[in-house]
Amino acid sequence: MTGDRTDVLPSIGDQHASTTVIPAVPAVPAIPAAPSGPPVPTTASLEAERVSAWFGQRKVLDRVSLEMPAGRVTALIGPSGCGKSTFLRILNRMHELVPSAALAGEVRLDGQDIYAPERRLTDARKAIGMVFQKPNPFPAMSIQDNVLAGLRLTGTKIGKGEREGLVEESLVRAGLWLEVKDRLKQPGSALSGGQQQRLCIARSLAVRPRVLLMDEPCSALDPTSTRVVEETIQQIAADVTIVIVTHNMQQAHRVSHQCAFFLAAHGTPGVIVEHGPTDTIFDNPQDQRTSDYVNGRFG
Amino acid sequence: MTTMTPSPTTGTPDPIDPATGTAVPQTHLPAYDDDAPPPLPRPGLGKPSPDERFALIGSWVAGAALAWLLTQRLLPLAGLPWFLISWFVVGLVVTGVTAGITGGMTEVKDRVAAGVITGAALVTGAALVSTVVFVTMRGWRAALNLNFYTSDMSGVGPKDNFDKGGILHAITGSGIELGIALLITLPLGIGTAVFMTEVGGKFATVVRTVVEAMTALPSIVAGLFIYTVLIVALGFPRSGLAASLAIAVMMLPIIARAADVVLRVVPGGLREASLALGSSRWRTVWHVVLPTARPGLATAVILGIARGVGETSPVLLTSGAAAFTVTGPTDGVMNSLPLFIYTNVRSGEPQAIARAFGAATVLLALVLVLFVVARLLARPRGNRPTLRARLAGALAPNRAAR
Ligand SMILES: Nc1ncnc2c1ncn2[C@@H]1O[C@H](COP(=O)(O)OP(=O)(O)OP(=O)(O)O)[C@@H](O)[C@H]1O
Ligand SMILES: [Mg+2]
């Protein structure tokens, strides 16, 4: 990418021959990793190259390429059903949970393809965390156990003292510590929706991911909780690469450094129409459709 | 802006623009009258009006009188059953007629349908209550003696009085047989349910169909199966273990099916959240799915136990009946509560029959306790108030009311 120019994609028709289909691999239970503390967080860049996706016979993404640079916030925008969630789920191998799903192309974390046969599925998901649209804390666990759930679920063992430190650190980073520090033993489902979503962010951060994917994390929240979550995103962006799907143009404008506009014209798979620095996408886009969308004229 | 009296619904009215003479649209702020009496809830909201209640009670009283006249005086249909049946029919007719006086066809249908459904509920309830009352009435004299629970029937004849002998051996036997059956069915049943919900696929559908069909398996077939395989073909003696296996065959599909239903309602979002953290599928099941479904799973298990504890025919064929306490599952014949009831009722001696009803009372109480426990466990965990919170609420009534 160069300077303040946005890139219009895709360049039609030239990559068709090299597109190969990798059938979705069923989730294989992994052998738990050798006990070790959570790795020190380092940001990583994420790069999707010519990603196509199918559900059964239906193609929903067509050769989508996007670079998500380390330590930056990338926002994915676009009308409903254009494949933003599908693209996001491809980035941490959640796509293949759908039995009929297939995909082609590469997703590279710091230059290494996460779909390479020798890479373990669980390692990719550990390095690339995800926050969902609907807050989903584990109801059978306390707030503290929710934060530590990632360690327990991946078989990572850490000392007791370290554990308390990690809980506090993750909750502080998620902007929830002050509200829950006196009731860490209470069930996670006893929090408000906004608090639950921040708890889910803390849960994702506790495994020290290098990338955090967020699928409309604020769409179930009130304006105040939304603001807190947005502040959280801005604070953690320095050490975690963030990709966020949002329908809220102001939010995309506020939190992201770069933006990608997805569009699926009627009956065709979704593509990226245009991507580039957020300000440029909003103020000076090259494609008329982008300009229409960000100004609320369609979608 | 002119001053105008605020109305409660619109607050301050729109001011008039002096230049054009038309109202200027503006937002309204609510107005409250501080001197007005505090709002009182309307009485009887959502309840039938006195008229309706009067018509209802009156119709059924009239029905009773008419039915009595019909069956006891006019027709040769003396006796309570005929009276009850004709009361129900005549009562329905009178209800329909009274409803027709004030309302239309809809009213009539509504009242008659309500009458039919209430009647059905009453019949069901009456059947249940009369079973319990009948059994307890005939068994209480035997069941009220302490020795009924602390001694067995060794050396006690069927004609002996209630101060001798008891059902300790049957209770112990039932406990041991159920315990072993539970040891087998708990992991197997929940494992089957996990397979059906978490693995899925064609084979899981086949398993689910088989499990569903097995819930309807006649218990005598389960007994016959263990009897032919274990006792006839393999030559094992009749024993508590054989009975446990037969009970396990009965309990397994119940537990597996109930657990399957429970596991299927665990939100998929939780599984996804767990997988997205980098968890394997089995860790997800163990740390997320099963703990989330824990209360429901407990209910499933207790439903299975409640089914197994009362089964007679499997134990009839497989365990044999001892009059003394046996604690070894492989030490030959072992008694159990259903079997004790069966053999004693058939003996013909009044004392033995009373003992059988005493044991039946104990069995009923046991099943009742199990169901209450199941209901308690089935309540969602999050919003269950602790005992202390509930006590505090009960001791400080109406504090929030004023
Ligand atoms: N599990 C699935 N099975 C089949 N088709 C699916 C599945 N999930 C999504 N799709 C289809 O894939 C396309 C892209 O869906 P996706 O959820 O990625 O859209 P989206 O951009 O996230 O929309 P929204 O903004 O409404 O969340 C849609 O046409 C949808 O119908
Ligand atoms: Mg979506």
Side-chain angles (χ1 to χ4, degrees):
Chain A
M1 277 186 303
T2 50
D4 259 11
R5 300 241 321 144
T6 58
D7 306 331
V8 180
L9 284 177
S11 32
I12 313 290
D14 58 341
Q15 296 140 329
H16 191 76
S18 57
T19 306
T20 48
V21 180
I22 306 167
V25 196
V28 182
I31 308 128
S36 66
V40 184
T42 48
T43 48
S45 70
L46 198 61
E47 214 175 324
E49 193 177 314
R50 278 176 293 156
V51 167
S52 304
W54 291 261
F55 285 111
Q57 293 302 309
R58 211 158 75 83
K59 194 173 188 182
V60 298
L61 279 181
D62 186 28
R63 283 164 289 155
V64 172
S65 301
L66 185 65
E67 195 187 324
M68 290 145 274
R72 319 230 79 194
V73 180
T74 303
L76 311 181
I77 56 174
S80 181
C82 63
K84 304 179 298 295
S85 298
T86 308
F87 181 68
L88 203 68
R89 289 167 63 89
I90 286 172
L91 296 182
N92 75 338
R93 302 194 63 171
M94 296 293 281
H95 180 61
E96 59 207 68
L97 288 178
V98 179
S100 66
L103 104 124
E106 277 189 8
V107 176
R108 286 194 293 269
L109 180 68
D110 266 350
Q112 295 194 309
D113 185 11
I114 60 168
Y115 283 95
E118 71 275 9
R119 296 289 297 266
R120 246 191 295 160
L121 169 75
T122 48
D123 287 345
R125 291 193 185 142
K126 240 187 285 184
I128 308 172
M130 189 157 194
V131 174
F132 297 82
Q133 178 171 3
K134 209 169 142 249
N136 51 9
F138 299 130
M141 296 184 194
S142 67
I143 293 174
Q144 175 171 348
D145 288 345
N146 259 290
V147 176
L148 295 172
L151 300 185
R152 184 141 44 115
L153 285 164
T154 52
T156 317
K157 295 205 176 57
I158 61 168
K160 204 170 160 74
E162 248 179 296
R163 205 178 302 168
E164 274 169 17
L166 183 65
V167 169
E168 173 165 357
E169 181 205 308
S170 306
L171 286 170
V172 166
R173 286 173 84 195
L176 188 62
W177 173 248
L178 291 179
E179 286 155 81
V180 299
K181 65 172 192 273
D182 302 324
R183 44 176 177 154
L184 293 173
K185 295 281 191 293
Q186 282 184 15
S189 47
L191 296 173
S192 80
Q195 291 171 331
Q196 287 187 19
Q197 192 63 300
R198 279 177 279 147
L199 178 59
C200 293
I201 295 176
R203 182 177 67 186
S204 299
L205 291 176
V207 289
R208 303 209 195 285
R210 308 175 67 193
V211 180
L212 190 59
L213 312 175
M214 306 175 118
D215 194 351
E216 302 180 38
C218 302
S219 63
L221 306 186
D222 69 299
T224 315
S225 304
T226 302
R227 210 192 58 231
V228 180
V229 171
E230 282 177 12
E231 281 165 8
T232 303
I233 293 173
Q234 275 158 346
Q235 272 159 21
I236 59 180
D239 16 84
V240 187
T241 307
I242 291 178
V243 186
I244 178 173
V245 172
T246 177
H247 281 291
N248 183 330
M249 290 304 119
Q250 287 88 30
Q251 180 171 69
H253 212 153
R254 280 194 299 265
V255 300
S256 72
H257 301 110
Q258 66 154 358
C259 245
F261 173 51
F262 279 68
L263 190 62
H266 185 70
T268 64
V271 293
I272 292 186
V273 170
E274 187 167 1
H275 69 88
T278 302
D279 287 337
T280 319
I281 283 271
F282 277 87
D283 301 334
N284 188 21
Q286 291 184 45
D287 196 293
Q288 184 60 36
R289 293 169 295 176
T290 316
S291 155
D292 287 348
Y293 185 78
V294 297
N295 290 306
R297 281 196 285 273
F298 85 89
Chain B
M1 187 168 149
T2 50
T3 53
M4 279 171 267
T5 45
S7 101
T9 46
T10 59
T12 48
D14 291 349
I16 308 293
D17 185 346
T20 58
T22 51
V24 183
Q26 65 155 41
T27 58
H28 304 286
L29 303 175
Y32 297 107
D33 184 359
D34 285 337
D35 301 330
L40 285 177
R42 279 169 185 268
L45 205 62
K47 296 193 190 82
S49 69
D51 264 6
E52 283 168 345
R53 237 176 302 167
F54 180 74
L56 185 74
I57 296 170
S59 306
W60 286 100
V61 170
L66 254 170
W68 179 80
L69 209 65
L70 263 177
T71 53
Q72 315 300 319
R73 288 289 174 271
L74 301 178
L75 300 174
L77 296 174
L80 192 63
W82 281 113
F83 169 71
L84 286 179
I85 292 171
S86 47
W87 182 21
F88 182 62
V89 175
V90 176
L92 279 184
V93 172
V94 179
T95 314
V97 170
T98 49
I101 295 171
T102 53
M105 205 55 208
T106 325
E107 296 274 278
V108 176
K109 279 187 199 158
D110 189 47
R111 297 278 171 77
V112 172
V116 170
I117 289 170
T118 314
L122 284 179
V123 168
T124 314
L128 213 70
V129 169
S130 60
T131 311
V132 174
V133 168
F134 179 75
V135 168
T136 322
M137 288 277 285
R138 295 198 55 178
W140 69 271
R141 271 191 304 134
L144 271 190
N145 295 296
L146 190 64
N147 60 296
F148 194 63
Y149 307 97
T150 54
S151 53
D152 53 33
M153 291 299 283
S154 48
V156 183
K159 288 188 181 148
D160 279 343
N161 255 332
F162 296 137
D163 53 3
K164 281 172 85 184
I167 56 166
L168 182 66
H169 59 311
I171 296 179
T172 330
S174 269
I176 290 170
E177 286 170 11
L178 268 181
I180 297 175
L182 199 61
L183 276 184
I184 300 169
T185 51
L186 189 67
L188 261 176
I190 293 185
T192 312
V194 166
F195 174 76
M196 290 190 285
T197 49
E198 305 298 321
V199 179
K202 279 226 175 61
F203 186 51
T205 319
V206 174
V207 172
R208 183 172 284 137
T209 314
V210 170
V211 166
E212 272 171 23
M214 263 179 80
T215 52
L217 184 78
S219 52
I220 190 79
V221 177
L224 270 176
F225 167 67
I226 297 295
Y227 178 75
T228 38
V229 171
L230 216 62
I231 296 168
V232 177
L234 296 181
F236 284 98
R238 293 175 175 226
S239 65
L241 184 66
S244 308
L245 292 178
I247 295 175
V249 172
M250 291 308 299
M251 282 168 62
L252 182 60
I254 308 251
I255 293 183
R257 186 158 153 60
D260 175 39
V261 173
V262 169
L263 290 185
R264 265 196 281 176
V265 299
V266 172
L270 295 181
R271 293 189 183 90
E272 287 210 329
S274 167
L275 293 173
L277 286 168
S279 163
S280 69
R281 215 146 44 136
W282 303 116
R283 276 183 186 273
T284 299
V285 168
W286 187 252
H287 289 298
V288 174
V289 177
L290 290 182
T292 306
R294 197 189 49 96
L297 290 177
T299 316
V301 168
I302 286 174
L303 285 180
I305 298 178
R307 173 75 190 267
V309 73
E311 284 297 348
T312 319
S313 31
V315 290
L316 187 65
L317 291 169
T318 48
S319 79
F324 45 89
T325 312
V326 181
T327 50
T330 50
D331 294 350
V333 292
M334 180 188 270
N335 216 328
S336 58
L337 278 172
L339 203 54
F340 179 87
I341 297 167
Y342 177 76
T343 43
N344 277 273
V345 156
R346 280 169 48 96
S347 76
E349 289 295 334
Q351 310 287 50
I353 293 179
R355 276 203 186 87
F357 276 103
T361 313
V362 173
L363 189 56
L364 272 177
L366 209 67
V367 174
L368 186 74
V369 168
L370 284 177
F371 270 102
V372 169
V373 171
R375 287 302 286 265
L376 288 181
L377 287 175
R379 282 192 299 179
R381 198 189 193 195
N383 46 23
R384 185 193 310 170
T386 59
L387 186 65
R388 195 192 292 167
R390 236 180 303 166
L391 278 180
L395 294 178
N398 299 339
R399 194 186 297 155
R402 200 21 265 192

